[in-house]
Amino acid sequence: KAGVTQTPRYLIKTRGQQVTLSCSPISGHRSVSWYQQTPGQGLQFLFEYFSETQRNKGNFPGRFSGRQFSNSRSEMNVSTLELGDSALYLCASSFGGQPNTGELFFGEGSRLTVL
Amino acid sequence: ILNVEQSPQSLHVQEGDSTNFTCSFPSSNFYALHWYRWETAKSPEALFVMTLNGDEKKKGRISATLNTKEGYSYLYIKGSQPEDSATYLCAPPSYNTDKLIFGTGTRLQVFP
């Protein structure tokens, strides 16, 4: 059974650019969550999608957006990049249902560096 | 905002030592508690999802207990091994938001 796949694994952007990250969940999983990890901050919740609808959103500015497709694949976009957006972005999938009673399966992450 | 606290922040133990960490959270609005292990250069991996007060779960040498009335969970590792070295994260979702908010974790290093 394939795990959660995130692309790209590494990328470098400059300030002001925008970036799109992709996440393919485990087959059969309908929930996809996104997290940002920066040194000293732990995992910060960005948003969660379930059946193509955003079910929850964290406290991030509107520059951070996401969407989910009918096949449960998800993308997140960050526009007008800032230096502080440099981070590891993790995607996690689960079956869904009642939110967060099932374990999350994480991808290996996309490491974004903003210069 | 849900306040999740994990202690200690870091822990260094010798191989063979047993150890435990704490996850504290507001006892109200709780409905589940997740524990994850995150090894360096790998993805976080689920250890336990607990939902009942008094719940105890075990996976090999690792076990966890849950007290929802007082708002804490303990994770125990018996006979620590170097491969147990990782950051251990807890996350209690709340009824208010359903968000899975992670604590900053306990970083465990086990020395041979």
Side-chain angles (χ1 to χ4, degrees):
Chain A
K1 191 176 186 181
V4 178
T5 304
Q6 290 189 246
T7 57
R9 292 289 314 281
Y10 303 92
L11 64 167
I12 300 173
K13 293 283 187 178
T14 57
R15 278 180 296 176
Q17 287 187 309
Q18 67 95 26
V19 67
T20 299
L21 309 177
S22 178
C23 173
S24 293
I26 290 173
S27 177
H29 285 190
R30 295 167 64 193
S31 169
V32 173
S33 300
W34 288 90
Y35 289 85
Q36 180 197 64
Q37 198 251 347
T38 53
Q41 288 294 315
L43 287 174
Q44 303 292 309
F45 174 77
L46 281 156
F47 22 67
E48 185 224 353
Y49 287 87
F50 179 77
S51 293
E52 300 179 68
T53 301
Q54 187 181 82
R55 189 156 65 173
N56 275 302
K57 188 177 188 304
N59 299 320
F60 278 79
R63 300 184 297 107
F64 292 80
S65 62
R67 57 179 175 167
Q68 187 180 33
F69 302 95
S70 58
N71 61 358
S72 293
R73 189 178 71 86
S74 177
E75 288 180 348
M76 67 163 280
N77 184 276
V78 188
S79 62
T80 319
L81 284 165
E82 301 176 359
L83 294 178
D85 297 332
S86 295
L88 178 68
Y89 290 88
L90 285 168
C91 156
S93 75
S94 68
F95 284 107
Q98 183 182 0
N100 299 316
T101 54
E103 63 186 71
L104 298 184
F105 293 81
F106 284 86
E108 293 183 303
S110 293
R111 185 166 293 281
L112 170 66
T113 301
V114 182
L115 302 175
Chain B
I1 296 177
L2 187 63
N3 199 24
V4 182
E5 294 184 3
Q6 290 191 248
S7 61
Q9 283 191 325
S10 65
L11 199 53
H12 298 167
V13 302
Q14 288 294 128
E15 182 176 356
D17 288 349
S18 293
T19 187
N20 64 84
F21 334 128
T22 304
C23 173
S24 303
F25 50 89
S27 56
S28 60
N29 296 319
F30 157 93
Y31 67 87
L33 189 286
H34 294 227
W35 279 103
Y36 289 81
R37 174 171 62 197
W38 194 358
E39 295 178 66
T40 302
K42 293 187 178 179
S43 313
E45 174 191 7
L47 288 172
F48 308 110
V49 178
M50 310 168 78
T51 57
L52 298 175
N53 183 43
D55 211 1
E56 269 192 55
K57 294 212 171 180
K58 189 174 180 181
K59 185 183 283 190
R61 294 178 292 99
I62 304 176
S63 60
T65 60
L66 178 63
N67 185 322
T68 59
K69 292 182 179 178
E70 296 183 32
Y72 65 83
S73 175
Y74 292 142
L75 188 78
Y76 301 91
I77 302 179
K78 184 178 176 182
S80 302
Q81 300 295 309
E83 58 263 31
D84 296 328
S85 297
T87 297
Y88 291 82
L89 301 167
C90 74
S94 75
Y95 283 112
N96 284 349
T97 67
D98 287 335
K99 298 176 189 179
L100 198 62
I101 307 296
F102 283 85
T104 51
T106 292
R107 185 174 178 185
L108 172 68
Q109 284 188 279
V110 182
F111 295 102

